[in-house]
Amino acid sequence: MLFLVRMDVNIPRDLPEAQANEIKAREKAYSQDLQRDGRWKSIWRVVGEYANYSIFDVSSNDELHQLLQGLPLFPFMKIHVTPLATHPSAI
Ligand SMILES: O=C(O)C[C@H]1C=CC(=O)O1
């Protein structure tokens, strides 16, 4: 099952920089592990925003929810999920 996911990140200004950097490093490793195993198919930066559009390929809504909830930046994200179906004109 394919999902388009938009993640908007908003790290509080008063979070110490070292703590923010540690969370971002864990986020990067978590994201790259999922990219390597094929479930996080692609990630794109939204120009000019601390946000991304990503494509996930997972077997259920529950699996996607588990993956998203495990993001180290999850507490600082607004996430919007769009389930994707095959377009009849796709070749
Ligand atoms: O930078 C972001 O868009 C947030 C997050 C998603 C993957 C990752 O490494 O960081």
Side-chain angles (χ1 to χ4, degrees), residues 10-68:
N10 187 3
I11 297 176
R13 287 181 189 279
D14 61 356
L15 193 74
E17 193 179 346
Q19 202 178 330
N21 288 340
E22 185 270 329
I23 296 168
K24 286 182 202 171
R26 282 194 289 119
E27 176 84 14
K28 185 172 185 174
Y30 182 89
S31 163
Q32 292 186 337
D33 281 349
L34 290 169
Q35 289 175 63
R36 281 187 205 97
D37 80 19
R39 288 181 288 174
W40 194 327
K41 286 179 72 72
S42 59
I43 179 168
W44 298 93
R45 178 62 77 219
V46 179
V47 175
E49 298 182 44
Y50 192 0
N52 72 75
Y53 277 105
S54 291
I55 300 284
F56 285 84
D57 187 0
V58 293
S59 54
S60 67
N61 292 2
D62 288 345
E63 183 180 3
L64 181 63
H65 187 74
Q66 283 302 117
L67 294 185
L68 295 177

Side-chain angles (χ1 to χ4, degrees), residues 2 8 17 29 38 47 52 59 69 73 78-79 83 85 87 89:
L2 292 173
D8 288 86
E17 193 179 346
V47 175
N52 72 75
S59 54
Q69 215 172 21
L73 281 173
K78 192 166 101 20
I79 299 178
H87 194 286
S89 302

